[in-house]
């Protein structure tokens, strides 16, 4: 493609396998990569901390909030510089430090910490604020000390960081940055907007347990996963189908719920034909009658253990693209979800089954590593729990084709049993459960509430006021933050300005802020595209640091985001880079994310999460062949044009 710069990362966990013990073979592998890049005429940009760090650091030294973290990181940086510093042109100490805060912040509208390590179960908003208060100065000091150690090996080394920048209107960004510079105000706002829902919403049911994935949610609160299942194809037991390829040209029933209408294109041959059904009962009946050749959907619901005529069917290619299912409640029902999570955790082992089953996943690395936990917060006195106890029962919505409600199943299934356990957890005895059958396609409508708009507005202010959205890294670099957040030794410890930019919203589209949350949860196909936000960010940082070169370290898109094709996304954003350069911004380089398909944060691999210029079928091609997309040619032409223009 003509690229003249290539970025890759070193994993601290691979290099320093135990405290003070460095793996020379691993360092040699990384040196070989840098030599290969140099050998092809490209410069090397190396990242030292790209969301990975050693287990021993978290377990024994308090992780990134521990008192020794800055010096431990600097020692690691020095060892890498000693091994391969002669080959590195640009150093990134921390990839997206702004995102690292989400390992310690879990707003009320999130069920889990977005990133590792997460705080222990039971940590409240005060504990989160305190953790971020330790993290931020540690990152600043670690960057400064690592930069100093790197320059001991190469005084001319170029060291920087690439915070993730979200495109907000200039007036709103200035307001957020001003707030970040006043620590007391920022901390008060953080606690105020993230500590809990504004109102507890009332709905037709208290809880929905109906095969809903976290991917489906934006307006509700949800539990820990109670089921892990996967996509599969159901065929008659006596059919001649032996693999997915045999479905070429076949008529396949697809359940018109959740992500099935889109996911079938990813998993089935391109010539397969689709017929949509409202639920699994209807689809299985059509399969038994010979009206379709197969049915595509979630393996657990395609062939539940309680199915009466299970011997008449078999699963084809189960285990594709695993997903986790959750119980869903209106916002403001944290007390209820606390009981749900306990019921899920206590029942997981008893429910484990293949190809689906209950799932107990650690809340945080603290729990996974056996570290001391905070006391469990039982939240017994929430308004929703008081209403429920006064009523004498919990109302739970369950999809009508689930075992226990489906005529095709002989016994109660997972959802019914979970509902009973939750009721028992709340009331201490049986007999307090009311089950409300739901149509699968409308299973979330019963959670609608007239007060939902209040929590949406609350969530908006919580979203924009989070520390992750302020330009706190560069505010610290220019000396604008409180010294307890950015100590004096860390101010100005940079040789270039780096930034990552993907999505944004202008003033006229701020009402679409939920699309930013969609992007944060891996629903990139809905992510809001606003190229002008990149121009504003480049101009802003050039004003702050007029003597520094600027790098767009990451910018990129899935094949289609917010209705914008990747090729158009690329052209529009590079146009804004050119406009900034015409205005005097010294943009030195631009990296596209990413050269190949990759897995984004454990999400299912599909067009919704594929940022690769070269497509790699990560699920089905054991050779991992790189297939150029049309965007490769476009990128190549842009590079050639820029090179010709000098």
């Amino acid at each position: 493609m003509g690229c003249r710069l290539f970025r890759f990362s070193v994993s601290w966990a691979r290099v320093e396998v135990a405290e003070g013990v460095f793996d020379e073979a691993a360092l040699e592998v990384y040196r070989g990569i840098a030599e290969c890049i140099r050998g092809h005429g490209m410069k090397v940009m190396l990242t030292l901390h790209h969301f990975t760090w050693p287990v021993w650091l978290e377990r024994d030294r308090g992780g990134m909030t521990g008192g020794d973290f800055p010096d431990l990181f600097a020692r690691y940086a020095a060892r890498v510089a000693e091994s391969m510093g002669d080959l590195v042109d640009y150093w990134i100490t921390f990839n997206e430090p702004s995102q690292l805060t989400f390992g310690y912040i879990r707003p009320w509208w999130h069920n889990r910490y977005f990133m590792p390590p997460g705080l222990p179960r039971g940590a409240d908003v005060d504990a989160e604020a305190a953790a971020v208060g330790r993290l931020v100065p540690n990152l600043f000091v670690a960057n400064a000390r690592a930069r100093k150690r790197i320059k001991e090996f190469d005084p001319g080394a170029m060291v920087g960081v690439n915070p993730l920048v979200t495109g907000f209107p200039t007036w709103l960004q200035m307001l957020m940055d001003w707030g970040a510079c006043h620590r007391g105000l920022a901390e008060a706002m953080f606690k105020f907007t993230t500590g809990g829902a504004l109102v507890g919403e009332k709905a037709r049911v208290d809880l929905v347990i109906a095969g809903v994935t976290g991917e489906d949610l934006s307006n509700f609160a949800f539990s820990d996963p109670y089921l892990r299942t996967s996509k599969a194809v159901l065929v008659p037991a006596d059919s001649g189908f032996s693999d997915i390829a045999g479905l070429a040209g076949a008529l396949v029933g697809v359940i018109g719920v959740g992500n099935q209408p889109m996911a079938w294109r990813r998993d089935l041959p391109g010539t397969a034909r689709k017929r949509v059904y409202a639920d699994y009962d209807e689809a299985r009946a059509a399969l038994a009658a010979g009206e379709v050749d197969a049915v595509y959907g979630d393996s657990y619901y395609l062939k539940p253990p309680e199915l009466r005529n299970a011997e008449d069917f078999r699963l084809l290619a189960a285990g594709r693209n695993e997903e986790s299912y959750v119980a869903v409640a209106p916002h403001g029902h944290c007390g209820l979800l606390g009981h749900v999570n306990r019921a899920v955790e206590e029942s997981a082992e008893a429910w484990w089954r293949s190809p689906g089953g209950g799932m107990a996943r650690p809340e945080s690395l603290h729990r996974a590593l056996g570290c001391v936990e905070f006391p469990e917060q039982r939240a017994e006195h929430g308004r929703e729990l008081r209403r429920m106890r006064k009523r004498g029962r919990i109302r739970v919505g369950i999809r009508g084709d689930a075992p226990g409600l489906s005529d095709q199943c002989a016994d109660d299934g997972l959802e019914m049993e979970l509902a009973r356990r939750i009721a028992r957890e709340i009331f201490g005895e049986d007999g307090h459960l009311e089950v409300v059958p739901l149509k699968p396609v409308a299973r979330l409508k019963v959670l609608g509430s007239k007060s939902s708009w209040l929590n949406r507005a609350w969530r908006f202010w919580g979203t924009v006021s989070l520390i992750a959205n302020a330009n706190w890294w560069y505010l610290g670099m220019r000396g604008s933050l409180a010294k307890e957040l950015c100590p004096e030794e860390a101010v100005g410890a940079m040789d270039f300005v780096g930034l990552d930019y993907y999505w944004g919203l202008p003033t006229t589209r701020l009402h679409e802020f939920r699309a930013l949350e969609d992007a944060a949860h891996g629903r990139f196909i809905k992510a809001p595209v606003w190229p002008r936000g990149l121009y504003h960010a480049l101009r802003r940082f050039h004003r702050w640091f007029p003597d520094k070169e600027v790098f767009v370290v990451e910018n990129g898109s899935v094949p289609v985001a917010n209705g914008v094709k990747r090729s158009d996304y690329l052209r529009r954003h590079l146009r804004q880079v050119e406009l900034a350069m015409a205005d005097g911004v010294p943009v030195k380089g631009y990296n596209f994310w990413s050269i190949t398909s990759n897995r984004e944060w454990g999400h299912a691999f599909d067009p919704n999460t594929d940022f690769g210029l070269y497509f790699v079928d990560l699920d089905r091609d054991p050779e991992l062949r790189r297939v150029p997309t049309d965007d490769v040619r476009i990128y190549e032409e842009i590079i050639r044009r820029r090179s010709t223009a000098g």
Side-chain angles (χ1 to χ4, degrees):
M1 291 187 292
C3 294
R4 290 174 287 179
L5 175 73
F6 193 93
R7 176 185 176 221
F8 75 101
S9 305
V10 169
S11 170
W12 187 358
R14 292 182 184 272
V15 168
E16 192 173 358
V17 294
E19 184 173 351
V21 179
F22 290 89
D23 187 330
E24 298 300 328
L27 286 166
E28 279 301 311
V29 169
Y30 287 123
R31 182 175 177 84
I33 295 172
E35 289 174 338
C36 178
I37 294 169
R38 280 287 192 92
H40 283 83
M42 292 180 285
K43 293 183 180 298
V44 173
M45 178 177 279
L46 180 71
T47 303
L48 289 169
H49 187 294
H50 199 144
F51 300 145
T52 67
W53 59 97
V55 169
W56 61 260
L57 179 71
E58 190 66 33
R59 182 190 60 225
D60 305 330
R61 293 294 200 134
M64 290 183 287
T65 60
D68 296 322
F69 175 74
D71 289 328
L72 292 170
F73 181 75
R75 181 181 66 185
Y76 152 65
R79 185 65 189 85
V80 176
E82 179 184 7
S83 176
M84 54 191 297
D86 58 313
L87 299 172
V88 178
D89 299 283
Y90 300 96
W91 297 82
I92 300 285
T93 53
F94 291 103
N95 178 78
E96 296 182 349
S98 49
Q99 294 300 96
L100 290 174
T101 59
F102 283 114
Y104 306 87
I105 297 172
R106 185 180 64 176
W108 60 265
W109 59 90
H110 289 174
N111 179 55
R112 292 190 171 276
Y113 291 96
F114 176 60
M115 297 182 66
L119 293 185
R121 187 184 292 274
D124 58 17
V125 67
D126 291 316
E128 292 180 339
V132 173
R134 295 190 300 271
L135 171 72
V136 170
N138 265 6
L139 293 176
F140 276 123
V141 174
N143 170 75
R145 294 180 186 176
R147 175 174 175 262
K148 182 178 179 180
R149 296 295 301 276
I150 291 169
K151 286 181 173 290
E152 290 175 359
F153 295 92
D154 178 11
M158 301 290 288
V159 184
V161 168
N162 59 318
L164 178 64
V165 177
T166 301
F168 287 110
T170 299
W171 64 268
L172 181 56
Q173 189 65 60
M174 291 176 65
L175 185 63
M176 288 189 289
D177 292 346
W178 178 82
C181 294
H182 298 77
R183 185 181 182 186
L185 174 63
E187 186 169 328
M189 187 62 130
F190 168 77
K191 293 181 179 180
F192 181 62
T193 56
T194 62
L198 187 62
V199 298
E201 301 171 20
K202 297 180 182 179
R204 287 173 52 196
V205 299
D206 303 303
L207 192 70
V208 166
I209 310 174
V212 182
T213 72
E215 299 298 314
D216 296 326
L217 305 178
S218 58
N219 282 330
F220 311 107
F222 52 101
S223 73
D224 289 349
Y226 69 84
L227 169 71
R228 176 181 288 160
T229 187
S230 58
K231 292 291 182 280
V233 176
L234 189 72
V235 296
D238 58 358
S239 74
F241 295 116
S242 59
D243 55 31
I244 290 292
L247 294 174
L251 181 60
V252 180
V254 176
I255 314 303
V257 179
N259 60 9
Q260 272 79 232
M262 180 182 73
W264 77 283
R265 295 184 178 277
R266 171 196 65 202
D267 291 336
L268 300 183
T271 57
R273 295 169 294 144
K274 177 179 72 170
R275 179 176 293 174
V276 177
Y277 291 94
D279 59 40
Y280 284 91
D281 284 352
E282 184 180 304
R284 276 193 301 264
L287 181 62
E291 297 173 10
V292 292
D293 301 306
V295 176
Y296 173 86
D298 292 324
S299 58
Y300 173 76
Y301 297 104
L302 284 169
K303 191 181 178 185
E306 299 79 15
L307 191 64
R308 293 181 188 277
N309 56 338
E311 67 279 0
D312 294 342
F313 305 101
R314 59 186 172 88
L315 288 173
L316 192 66
R320 305 169 73 85
N321 302 297
E322 289 192 343
E323 296 176 283
S324 300
Y325 287 77
V326 296
V328 190
H331 277 312
H333 289 224
C334 60
L336 170 60
L337 290 176
H339 287 292
V340 174
N341 289 340
R342 280 192 291 275
V344 169
E345 184 171 357
E346 292 168 2
S347 308
E349 184 175 351
W351 289 343
W352 193 265
R353 61 183 76 184
S354 181
M359 182 177 66
R361 191 171 68 175
E363 173 79 7
S364 65
L365 281 176
H366 293 267
R367 174 162 291 195
L369 298 175
C371 301
V372 176
E373 292 284 316
F374 291 169
E376 182 75 20
Q377 293 182 341
R378 297 191 67 85
E380 296 287 354
H381 305 294
R383 286 170 292 180
E384 79 282 2
L385 289 174
R386 289 197 297 270
R387 288 197 300 265
M388 203 179 301
R389 290 194 173 105
K390 184 177 181 181
R391 188 196 311 136
R393 65 189 185 281
I394 178 175
R395 294 182 297 213
V396 178
I398 297 178
R399 56 191 299 161
D401 58 354
L405 295 179
S406 167
D407 293 336
Q408 297 182 10
C409 295
D411 301 303
D412 291 345
L414 183 61
E415 286 86 357
M416 290 291 291
E417 178 59 23
L418 177 57
R420 290 194 186 96
R421 288 174 182 257
I422 293 168
R424 197 178 306 128
E425 164 75 24
I426 293 171
F427 291 95
E429 58 184 8
D430 294 327
H432 297 271
L433 172 66
E434 177 187 343
V435 173
V436 180
L438 305 175
K439 293 182 179 180
V441 72
R443 62 202 190 286
L444 295 179
K445 289 185 178 180
V446 293
L447 294 174
S449 169
K450 293 181 179 179
S451 58
S452 295
W453 70 272
L454 291 170
N455 280 330
R456 285 197 294 270
W458 196 244
R459 196 162 75 245
F460 169 77
W461 287 110
T463 298
V464 300
S465 65
L466 285 176
I467 189 172
N469 290 324
N471 291 308
W472 60 267
W473 183 266
Y474 286 127
L475 289 169
M477 286 290 114
R478 69 194 296 240
S480 299
L481 286 187
K483 298 306 178 187
E484 62 264 33
L485 287 178
C486 184
E488 192 66 38
E489 70 172 290
V491 175
M494 55 184 284
D495 299 298
F496 62 88
V497 174
L499 72 149
D500 295 354
Y501 183 90
Y502 289 92
W503 324 111
L505 287 171
T507 300
T508 55
R509 291 170 54 200
L510 282 180
H511 62 283
E512 300 176 22
F513 79 97
R514 280 171 47 202
L516 287 174
E517 295 181 358
D518 285 329
H521 288 282
R523 296 182 287 271
F524 298 108
I525 200 168
K526 298 180 181 180
V529 175
W530 187 41
R532 190 64 174 176
L534 176 56
Y535 170 85
H536 291 316
L538 294 172
R539 288 286 305 271
R540 179 187 312 118
F541 294 143
H542 179 53
R543 288 196 304 270
W544 290 2
F545 307 100
D547 61 333
K548 302 295 184 184
E549 294 177 337
V550 180
F551 279 85
V552 180
V553 179
E554 291 181 26
N555 176 243
S557 175
V558 294
V560 178
N562 198 220
V564 178
K565 293 182 178 179
R566 181 191 285 142
S567 56
D568 292 330
Y569 177 101
L570 179 60
R571 291 190 182 99
R572 294 178 190 178
H573 283 79
L574 282 172
R575 174 58 179 160
Q576 296 302 316
V577 173
E578 291 174 339
L579 289 174
M581 294 174 68
D583 288 344
V585 181
V587 181
K588 181 70 173 179
Y590 170 96
N591 292 335
F592 189 87
W593 182 273
S594 175
I595 185 173
T596 65
S597 303
N598 64 295
R599 296 196 186 277
E600 286 288 331
W601 292 105
H603 299 297
F605 174 63
D606 57 33
N608 186 53
T609 60
D610 183 5
F611 284 78
L613 288 172
Y614 284 81
F615 173 75
V616 179
D617 194 337
L618 299 175
D619 288 325
R620 294 182 290 189
D621 182 3
E623 298 182 9
L624 298 177
R625 287 166 292 194
R626 299 182 177 187
V627 180
T629 66
D630 293 340
D631 305 312
V632 169
R633 176 184 53 80
I634 294 168
Y635 197 36
E636 185 177 359
E637 290 176 356
I638 292 171
I639 294 173
R640 184 183 301 113
R641 175 173 58 82
R642 290 292 309 171
S643 299
T644 303

